[in-house]
Amino acid sequence: MSTLTTTTAAATEPTEPTVTEVARRARTAAAGLAPLPRSAKDAALQAVADALEARVEEIVEANAADVARAREAGTAESVVDRLTLTPERVRAIASDVRDVAALPDPVGEVVRGSTLPNGIDLRQVRVPLGVVGIVYEARPNVTVDAAALCLKSGNAVLLRGSSSAYSSNTALVAVLRDAVAGAGLPADAVQLVPGEGRDAVHELMRARGLVDVLIPRGGASLIRTVVEQSTVPVIETGTGNCHVYVDADADLDTAVEILLNSKAHRVSVCNAAETLLVHRDIAGAFLPRALDALAGAGVTVHGDERVLALAAGTGATVVEATEEDWETEYLSYDIAAAVVDSLDAAVAHIRRWSSGHTEAIVTTSQQAARRFTQLVDSTTVAVNASTRFTDGGQFGFGAEIGISTQKLHARGPMGLPELTSTKYIVTGDGHVRP
Amino acid sequence: MSTLTTTTAAATEPTEPTVTEVARRARTAAAGLAPLPRSAKDAALQAVADALEARVEEIVEANAADVARAREAGTAESVVDRLTLTPERVRAIASDVRDVAALPDPVGEVVRGSTLPNGIDLRQVRVPLGVVGIVYEARPNVTVDAAALCLKSGNAVLLRGSSSAYSSNTALVAVLRDAVAGAGLPADAVQLVPGEGRDAVHELMRARGLVDVLIPRGGASLIRTVVEQSTVPVIETGTGNCHVYVDADADLDTAVEILLNSKAHRVSVCNAAETLLVHRDIAGAFLPRALDALAGAGVTVHGDERVLALAAGTGATVVEATEEDWETEYLSYDIAAAVVDSLDAAVAHIRRWSSGHTEAIVTTSQQAARRFTQLVDSTTVAVNASTRFTDGGQFGFGAEIGISTQKLHARGPMGLPELTSTKYIVTGDGHVRP
């Protein structure tokens, strides 16, 4: 079965358009999308949701082929589960599309506006980016989510999912394109990047002038490759070596709760905590309790000397930390832990080792909170709150295309406005420069 | 004299730090700049202005060495003039620095803020980018302008000027560093990129993680090189193939004035018009007058067939346009000109050939103005105003680090806010995710 699928794909390859052709079509589609009013885009999104619901069987069947192939290849069940689409999951995806339709349209928003001294009216307004390329792994729901967010923000999207979800993505994109075209929008606003393997991704990364931005979503090596090789501007997403710092003045209950939630609420996500830093003045009171709580949640602690010394008599599993632990994004029931001499030492540790995603401080001191938020240079600084709040949904953005960990264009959770650029409209009545 | 200077520079080279070392120092300096209040940054800028005025002789003397070398090398006088610093010019540069000090501080501005349904306070605040690299050509005033804008926005700056201004830039940066240090800020906030030729620029372009953004300012080939090769995020600046479109319903006097101002007010700048498009219904009335006016300003017209046909009897110098003319940024007393069948045909021409900088429409029709501004996808769309207004100073930004022609991060004239990123501050009182 899997052999048959592969052969079929290979046989149709010669008639497939090139990545550049596909990008050119997307560019044309984007020009058509840009001036559309919200009503037209929302109608298309509702049509997409309807079509996903109506064609759920077709989608699940296509997905079954991917799932069978993954199982045959001995893929881990947790990965197979993330790949799997059930009728219920497809309906949930459709519901997410309706949620995107309900969000305000970022396009046309006046970001800045004034009348210049010479009488010219100046307005800076949000416009779509144009063509957005998304390179992602595993979960086929990203295909629909990303397409919905791009459509809503007036962008054409080029989707490059993993080969393991090829059949699912092909079916989903067919449904999306039919629905978009049925609503009177250009079908080429949503396209899969054709071709096999790295060549296609490489061609996408060099399509500067046709593709306006590339957003890689997935593992660190995928992101590094795109960042290193792309001439298309890139938004780097998703690496999270997040820290929880417990200050000298901290409420112990609050600190334990925030630590546990940050680490163990969901370990596989980028906003989970990976390192605990504790001020030396509170370490004796806090760490034994914290280590017991972490042990209760099944978390292994990779501690420095001072943490190890305080672990005696607790139920905790504590191993000695090496330098590697400070930079590791475990994404598992593990946490690095160190005692620091001061808030500034905590900041220095974070500056050195953090990926710049999210760092939390637990403190009752206003001065400490202020200094920490001023000095820590990460997308999000949380004061007496879990690192898990760094999320487009939690921030009230309604949806999220990823979490940018770079400083240019967008930083932190990216909602619809982050999928736009701006242009200036200069209106005069015959104004010339003297 | 020039040989001596070169020998001296070569002799000191082995003790020079590497680009990476310099970038690391900038990174440390940036961490010190980020939390500074406006008063500290403004005091440093005033000290810089004072020092430039006090040490004007030293600067002019260093510049004289560059000028002598340029003359010996047979450099065109117009280029030598742009390279030359007189006491008056140095004082003007100092005055520009004081203007930057007077601008509002972008850092700390709350861009977005709300209280989430769970009671968490969310604020998105502007923060410095960190380390900004500027690669530029010729004019030594850019050295001071760029450093002042970066300091004001809390960024450390790595300056890479052209070798022809090496002596001037070295003297200017020495003055800047002394003044910055004298004001209690880290001197390494302002540094020249060491080393000769392309190797140093290449090292700068690969310093991802140390340098947050590279802004190339200069010729098209410099910009292309940086865009192609940099792994550090780049903001592309300055290519301007700008269009003036005269609609069917246009006031002829207004159209002639805007055309002349856009083309001939200053021909060497990126916001000068390079192509004229005229609706066929007004071509017969407008073009003869326009061609006469262009001839009066010494402009050569590269016209299509329909323009050539209407040129008979005018005083204009009109040559036949080839396809190359549509994409040429002349930066000279030349303009391409074509008659188009409709506003949409003008938009299609612009979409195909424009560099996306600035396009102007001259029209009395509200519908035409609206359609043009909706469909044209450039940094700036001007309605009944000269293309020459696309400028940070004209837009009231007070200063400008360049004009971005890309869509990511910043588009159009870039002022101080465009030299910042943002971070989110999440404040709770023990909030965890349920």
Side-chain angles (χ1 to χ4, degrees), chain B residues 368-383:
Chain B
R370 183 172 150 86
R371 187 161 177 83
F372 191 80
T373 52
Q374 276 182 338
L375 295 185
V376 168
D377 185 30
S378 297
T379 82
T380 307
V381 184
V383 177

Side-chain angles (χ1 to χ4, degrees), chain A residues 67-417:
Chain A
V67 168
R69 213 166 46 231
R71 286 229 166 85
E72 256 176 56
T75 309
E77 262 318 294
S78 64
V79 176
V80 172
D81 178 60
R82 289 199 290 173
L83 176 65
T84 303
L85 291 175
T86 61
E88 196 184 12
R89 286 184 180 181
V90 173
R91 279 190 288 269
I93 293 171
S95 165
D96 287 345
V97 173
R98 294 194 205 281
D99 290 347
V100 171
L103 292 172
D105 187 347
V107 174
E109 187 199 340
V110 179
V111 175
R112 190 150 43 172
S114 65
T115 302
L116 302 179
N118 59 8
I120 278 180
D121 286 322
L122 179 69
R123 281 182 299 141
Q124 184 184 18
V125 298
R126 281 200 193 282
V127 296
L129 285 168
V131 178
V132 177
I134 320 254
V135 183
Y136 55 105
E137 290 172 342
R139 298 170 183 264
N141 63 309
V142 172
T143 306
V144 182
D145 287 355
L149 288 169
C150 287
L151 277 176
K152 177 80 190 198
S153 51
N155 294 293
V157 66
L158 293 176
L159 298 156
R160 176 69 187 188
S162 70
S163 55
S164 64
Y166 181 78
S167 174
S168 316
N169 289 338
T170 303
L172 286 168
V173 168
V175 171
L176 287 164
R177 288 171 58 91
D178 288 350
V180 165
L185 270 59
D188 285 340
V190 182
Q191 295 177 86
L192 277 186
V193 174
E196 303 275 330
R198 282 154 187 257
D199 283 358
V201 176
H202 188 78
E203 206 178 331
L204 185 63
M205 292 190 297
R206 311 302 289 187
R208 193 176 175 101
L210 291 175
V211 179
D212 293 288
V213 61
L214 265 189
I215 307 177
R217 286 181 58 170
S221 96
L222 166 71
I223 291 166
R224 199 163 40 239
T225 302
V226 175
V227 161
E228 287 283 327
Q229 296 182 10
S230 183
T231 56
V232 172
V234 172
I235 298 180
E236 202 178 333
T237 67
T239 333
N241 177 14
C242 304
H243 294 68
V244 172
Y245 166 62
V246 179
D247 188 42
D249 302 305
D251 179 77
L252 295 184
D253 291 336
T254 303
V256 169
E257 261 192 89
I258 287 177
L259 170 64
L260 270 192
N261 191 260
S262 298
K263 176 67 251 181
H265 181 257
R266 200 166 152 208
V267 297
S268 62
V269 289
C270 61
N271 60 14
E274 306 291 10
T275 301
L276 166 67
L277 300 173
V278 182
H279 193 289
R280 65 175 177 197
D281 292 352
I282 204 171
F286 174 69
L287 268 175
R289 282 189 55 183
L291 294 173
D292 270 333
L294 288 168
V299 175
T300 300
V301 176
H302 304 247
D304 73 354
E305 268 181 31
R306 292 194 274 188
V307 171
L308 289 171
L310 287 162
T314 70
T317 310
V318 184
V319 299
E320 196 174 342
T322 64
E323 205 163 77
E324 210 188 325
D325 285 297
W326 309 130
E327 64 180 351
T328 300
E329 186 185 11
Y330 298 110
L331 301 173
S332 63
Y333 285 90
D334 291 87
I335 194 167
V339 172
V340 292
D341 290 335
S342 64
L343 183 147
D344 282 14
V347 169
H349 182 107
I350 288 167
R351 277 199 176 269
R352 172 139 189 224
W353 299 109
S354 172
S355 65
H357 190 298
T358 299
E359 332 298 343
I361 180 173
V362 186
T363 186
T364 58
S365 156
Q366 168 62 17
Q367 290 93 320
R370 183 170 149 87
R371 188 161 176 82
F372 191 81
T373 52
Q374 275 182 339
L375 295 185
V376 168
D377 185 31
S378 297
T379 81
T380 307
V381 185
V383 178
N384 296 328
S386 169
T387 58
R388 291 278 291 124
F389 286 108
T390 306
D391 172 274
Q394 293 294 318
F395 279 10
F397 299 170
E400 174 187 294
I401 193 93
I403 295 178
S404 163
T405 50
Q406 70 179 33
K407 289 187 179 169
L408 227 58
H409 185 70
R411 197 176 189 211
M414 293 188 287
L416 289 169

Side-chain angles (χ1 to χ4, degrees), chain A residues 41-74:
Chain A
K41 294 183 284 189
D42 287 356
L45 290 169
Q46 297 292 358
V48 164
D50 292 346
L52 288 167
E53 286 164 352
R55 293 166 68 174
V56 62
E57 276 179 40
E58 177 186 333
I59 294 163
V60 169
E61 197 182 310
N63 178 254
D66 287 332
V67 168
R69 213 166 46 231
R71 286 229 166 85
E72 256 176 56

Side-chain angles (χ1 to χ4, degrees), chain B residues 136-212:
Chain B
Y136 55 105
E137 290 171 342
R139 299 170 183 263
N141 64 308
V142 172
T143 306
V144 182
D145 286 355
L149 289 169
C150 286
L151 277 176
K152 178 79 189 198
S153 50
N155 294 294
V157 66
L158 293 177
L159 298 156
R160 177 70 187 188
S162 70
S163 55
S164 64
Y166 182 79
S167 175
S168 314
N169 288 338
T170 303
L172 286 168
V173 168
V175 171
L176 287 164
R177 288 171 58 91
D178 288 350
V180 165
L185 268 59
D188 285 340
V190 182
Q191 295 178 85
L192 277 187
V193 174
E196 304 274 331
R198 283 157 186 256
D199 283 358
V201 177
H202 188 79
E203 207 177 330
L204 185 63
M205 292 192 296
R206 310 302 289 189
R208 191 175 177 102
L210 292 175
V211 179
D212 294 288

